[in-house]
């Protein structure tokens, strides 16, 4: 009567009483079938182990690891390597995995890949959200085989991690060694260029401008002093030449020794005063009273000498010795020769100083161009030096990291628990199969009852009469016959309706 009118609780109870066997029967049957499947389906055992990732034992402030790749990515890379055919085929052959099935090696490898489960775990204490560890599980039809294969795969992960880290560290060190050798050659070339440049432009390099200016100032002072000394020596030479000319004239005229003695005395006194003047000017200024007095005496003495009789012709004055010369003349000639040599020496010194001044002037004038070129050379050298220092620092750090990996003090995998030997299969679960069978049978029974009730058009209650006829019921005549005598007409499990005559109908409705 489903769908013909709204059902009440009494209707549901009546349906359940009438067709309850249609629900119970499938539920029992499917429960038994589920239970039977647990004995038919091959069991599957799962062995699992936990691998933790231990961080580097030495603080990173002292040794920085060379491998900074994300652990999740590295784990995925290792997983692909371990699940390769070359790694799995020896394991399959050693443990004869799926040997009872008619499977090719490719199918067996694919099946092993499906039965291996690697599940990462994330610790709540890990601030960076990294991967502190992972589970490795393997599923097999035999508990012992599952344990052995799980242990084999776990050892592959541990060894692969150590090998990969060691190879990566050594590869990094070798690469840095090659780069460092190239950087050293480049640095040597730049060092040679810089040394050649400094040797070529010595005295014109940046930073030597002040030295050049000081040297040029000092040379100018020396040049002024040499010029003054040269002028004074030339003046002295003129006086001596004058005295020598006068002495040459007076000697044949007087023929006596008195004039020569007087002139010689004046010359000696003049020489003494000149020496005194030279000594005083070294210690005092020209305004000092002693200096002024000495200069005045020299001036007066020279005036006296100049007032003497005229000197012979210039061409006759010479420093060449003559055997007829008097001692005074010979002394004058010696003084003249000494002064002439002094003049030559001062002239040579003056030329030398002027040459040095021109040299320093050239250095100062060419300094901007040299400085610009020097910047280019030093910039390349500094760049090469910085690159070399950086590579040297990295290579030393890489060597320490490589040694750290060799000592297994870096990041490694630690097996917390050995793979367990499963006590019971993980599949099939008997309770799950039984429950699922019962639920499926119960649902199937409900569907059958609903279908039967939907197709059932029998009138059993006053509400059914009203739903079909829309007429009020005047009375209800009860059935007084014996329903036990009625026999089912068909079906083993299907209950037939009693074949009642018109007079035996339990319900009669009339309306008008």
């Amino acid at each position: 009567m489903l769908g013909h009118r709204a059902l009440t609780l009494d209707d549901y109870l009546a349906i359940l009483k009438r067709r309850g066997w249609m629900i119970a029967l499938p539920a029992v049957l499917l429960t038994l079938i589920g239970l039977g499947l647990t004995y038919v389906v091959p069991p599957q055992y799962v062995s699992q182990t936990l691998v933790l990732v231990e961080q580097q034992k030495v603080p990173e402030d002292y040794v920085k690891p060379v491998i900074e790749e994300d652990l999740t990515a590295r784990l995925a890379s290792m997983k692909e390597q371990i699940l390769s055919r070359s790694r799995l085929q020896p394991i399959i052959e050693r443990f004869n995995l799926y040997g009872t099935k008619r499977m090719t090696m490719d199918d067996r490898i694919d099946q092993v890949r499906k039965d291996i489960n690697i599940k990462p775990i994330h610790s709540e204490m890990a601030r960076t959200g990294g991967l502190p560890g992972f589970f490795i599980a393997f599923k097999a039809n035999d508990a012992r085989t599952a344990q052995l294969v799980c242990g084999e795969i776990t050892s592959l992960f541990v060894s692969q991690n150590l090998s990969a880290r060691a190879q990566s560290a050594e590869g990094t060190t070798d690469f840095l060694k090659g780069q460092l050798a190239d950087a050293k050659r480049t640095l040597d070339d730049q060092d040679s260029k810089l040394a050649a440049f400094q040797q070529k432009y010595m005295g014109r390099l940046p930073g030597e401008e002040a030295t050049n200016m000081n040297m040029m100032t000092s040379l100018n002072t020396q040049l002024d002093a040499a010029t003054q000394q040269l002028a004074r020596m030339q003046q002295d030479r003129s006086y001596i030449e004058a005295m020598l000319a006068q002495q040459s004239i007076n000697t044949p005229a007087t023929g006596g020794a008195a004039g020569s003695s007087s002139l010689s005395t004046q010359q000696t006194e003049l020489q003494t005063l000149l020496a005194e003047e030279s000594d005083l000017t070294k210690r005092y200024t020209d305004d000092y009273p002693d200096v002024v007095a000495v200069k005045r005496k020299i001036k007066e003495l020279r005036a006296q000498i100049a007032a003497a009789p005229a000197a012979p012709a210039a061409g006759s004055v010479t420093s060449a010795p003559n055997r007829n010369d008097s001692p005074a003349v010979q002394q004058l000639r010696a003084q003249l020769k000494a002064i002439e040599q002094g003049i030559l020496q001062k002239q040579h010194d003056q030329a030398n100083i002027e040459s040095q001044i021109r040299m320093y002037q050239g250095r100062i004038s060419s300094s901007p161009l040299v400085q610009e070129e020097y910047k280019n050379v030093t910039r390349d050298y500094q760049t090469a030096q910085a690159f070399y220092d950086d590579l040297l620092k990295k290579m030393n750090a890489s060597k320490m990291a490589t040694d750290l990996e060799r000592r297994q003090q870096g990041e490694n995998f630690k097996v917390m628990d050995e793979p367990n030997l499963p006590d019971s299969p993980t599949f099939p679960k008997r309770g799950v199969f039984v429950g699922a069978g019962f639920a499926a049978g119960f649902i199937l029974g409900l569907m059958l009852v609903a279908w039967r009730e939907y197709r059932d058009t029998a009138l059993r209650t006053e509400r059914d009469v009203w739903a079909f006829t829309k007429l009020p019921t005047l009375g209800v005549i009860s059935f007084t016959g014996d329903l036990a005598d009625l026999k089912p007409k068909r079906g083993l499990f299907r209950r037939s309706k009693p074949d009642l005559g018109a007079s035996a109908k339990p319900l009669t409705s009339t309306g008008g």
Side-chain angles (χ1 to χ4, degrees):
M1 295 299 292
L2 293 178
H4 300 292
R5 64 178 177 84
L7 300 179
T8 61
L9 179 59
D10 294 336
D11 295 331
Y12 284 114
L13 292 175
I15 292 173
L16 183 61
K17 182 178 179 181
R18 186 170 59 251
R19 303 187 189 277
W21 63 274
M22 297 184 68
I23 299 175
L25 186 61
V28 173
L29 288 177
L30 291 184
T31 301
L32 294 176
I33 292 173
L35 181 61
L37 286 176
T38 57
Y39 294 96
V40 176
V41 176
Q44 293 182 348
Y45 297 86
V46 175
S47 179
Q48 179 175 279
T49 184
L50 174 61
V51 179
L52 290 182
V53 179
E54 285 189 337
Q55 299 300 321
Q56 181 175 303
K57 296 179 177 61
V58 180
E60 293 187 4
D61 294 337
Y62 297 99
V63 180
K64 189 175 181 180
V66 296
I67 302 174
E68 296 181 350
E69 185 182 2
D70 182 63
L71 184 58
T72 305
R74 284 196 291 118
L75 181 61
S77 176
M78 285 190 291
K79 179 180 177 182
E80 294 298 327
Q81 295 177 4
I82 292 173
L83 297 184
S84 62
R85 181 186 181 93
S86 59
R87 296 291 186 88
L88 292 181
Q89 185 169 352
I91 297 176
I92 293 173
E93 294 174 352
R94 185 187 311 166
F95 296 100
N96 192 24
L97 298 179
Y98 319 112
T100 58
K101 302 178 181 179
R102 294 181 178 178
M103 300 173 63
T104 61
M105 181 55 70
D106 293 336
D107 295 337
R108 295 165 73 179
I109 291 174
D110 293 338
Q111 187 62 41
V112 169
R113 289 171 180 168
K114 293 178 182 178
D115 292 339
I116 295 175
N117 183 23
I118 299 172
K119 183 175 64 176
I121 60 174
H122 293 274
S123 174
E124 296 180 355
M125 298 180 62
R127 297 179 180 178
T128 59
L131 184 68
F134 54 93
F135 290 103
I136 298 177
F138 182 75
K139 180 172 60 180
N141 296 332
D142 177 58
R144 185 63 180 171
T145 303
Q147 183 188 29
L148 293 176
V149 175
C150 184
E152 188 72 18
I153 294 172
T154 302
S155 63
L156 285 179
F157 267 97
V158 174
S159 61
Q160 179 67 24
N161 178 60
L162 294 176
S163 176
R165 292 187 66 87
Q167 290 179 359
S168 179
E170 291 177 356
T172 303
T173 302
D174 293 339
F175 173 77
L176 289 177
K177 283 183 179 178
Q179 291 293 314
L180 188 64
D182 296 338
K184 187 176 185 308
R185 285 193 291 270
T186 304
L187 180 61
D188 292 341
D189 294 339
Q190 295 297 329
D191 195 10
S192 301
K193 290 181 180 178
L194 181 60
F197 184 87
Q198 290 176 341
Q199 184 176 5
K200 180 179 180 181
Y201 296 100
M202 185 179 299
R204 302 179 186 182
L205 300 175
E208 296 182 347
E209 295 87 352
T211 304
N212 292 333
M213 291 297 297
N214 293 333
M215 288 299 298
M216 195 170 68
T217 303
S218 177
L219 289 173
N220 285 326
T221 303
Q222 294 179 15
L223 180 61
D224 293 340
T227 303
Q228 292 177 5
Q229 291 178 2
L230 181 60
R232 187 176 301 167
M233 294 176 71
Q234 289 176 347
Q235 188 177 6
D236 292 343
R237 185 183 63 180
S238 299
Y239 283 118
I240 292 175
E241 287 176 352
M243 287 187 294
L244 184 61
Q246 184 179 6
Q247 187 67 25
S248 299
I249 294 172
N250 293 336
T251 300
T254 57
S260 300
S261 177
S262 177
L263 183 57
S264 177
T265 302
Q266 291 177 346
Q267 291 174 351
T268 301
E269 184 179 0
L270 178 60
Q271 294 298 324
T272 302
L273 291 174
L274 289 173
E276 184 179 359
E277 181 192 11
S278 176
D279 181 63
L280 290 174
T281 53
K282 293 180 181 178
R283 294 180 293 170
Y284 306 105
T285 61
D286 293 342
D287 298 334
Y288 193 74
D290 293 344
V291 177
V292 174
V294 170
K295 288 186 176 181
R296 182 174 52 79
K297 290 179 181 178
I298 293 173
K299 184 177 180 181
E300 292 175 354
L301 187 57
R302 285 177 175 172
Q304 293 176 4
I305 294 173
S316 61
V317 178
T318 177
S319 61
N322 191 343
R323 62 183 180 179
N324 296 326
D325 291 340
S326 61
V329 174
Q330 292 179 358
Q331 185 178 3
L332 289 175
R333 291 185 186 279
Q335 292 178 357
L336 180 60
K337 185 177 182 180
I339 290 176
E340 287 178 347
Q341 291 178 351
I343 290 174
L344 292 175
Q345 182 63 36
K346 287 296 177 184
Q347 289 176 346
H348 179 267
D349 294 342
Q350 187 180 30
N352 188 23
I353 292 172
E354 290 175 350
S355 175
Q356 292 184 17
I357 290 175
R358 288 194 295 272
M359 180 186 71
Y360 281 105
Q361 286 177 345
R363 289 181 178 181
I364 294 173
S365 61
S366 61
S367 180
L369 296 177
V370 175
Q371 186 173 3
E372 186 66 22
E373 189 174 357
Y374 184 74
K375 285 181 179 179
N376 297 330
V377 176
T378 54
R379 181 173 58 249
D380 296 339
Y381 174 78
Q382 291 173 356
T383 302
Q385 182 70 49
F387 184 65
Y388 176 80
D389 293 341
D390 184 59
L391 282 177
L392 183 61
K393 182 179 179 181
K394 290 180 179 178
M395 194 194 71
N396 291 332
S398 179
K399 283 183 177 179
M400 294 178 64
T402 303
D403 187 62
L404 193 72
E405 295 297 337
R406 289 174 180 170
R407 298 172 184 265
Q408 297 185 4
Q409 297 295 315
E411 179 187 287
N412 55 29
F413 291 166
K414 182 178 182 181
V415 181
M416 294 301 298
D417 300 314
E418 294 298 329
N420 64 314
L421 182 62
D423 299 331
S424 60
T426 58
F427 183 84
K429 292 291 185 180
R430 187 160 299 168
V432 175
F433 271 66
V434 172
F438 176 77
F442 184 77
I443 294 173
L444 179 61
L446 288 178
M447 293 176 64
L448 290 175
V449 169
W451 178 71
R452 288 296 306 235
E453 286 296 322
Y454 182 79
R455 292 179 59 85
D456 189 3
T457 58
L459 300 178
R460 293 185 175 85
T461 64
E462 296 179 18
R463 294 170 58 86
D464 295 339
V465 175
W466 171 258
F468 278 96
T469 62
K470 301 300 180 183
L471 297 175
T473 303
L474 297 179
V476 177
I477 302 173
S478 301
F479 176 71
T480 58
D482 188 4
L483 292 177
D485 297 336
L486 300 177
K487 297 180 181 178
K489 292 183 177 181
R490 56 182 178 178
L492 180 61
F493 300 101
R494 187 175 178 181
R495 299 177 65 183
S496 64
K497 295 179 181 178
D499 188 9
L500 301 177
S503 59
K505 295 295 181 181
L507 180 64
T508 301
S509 177
T510 60

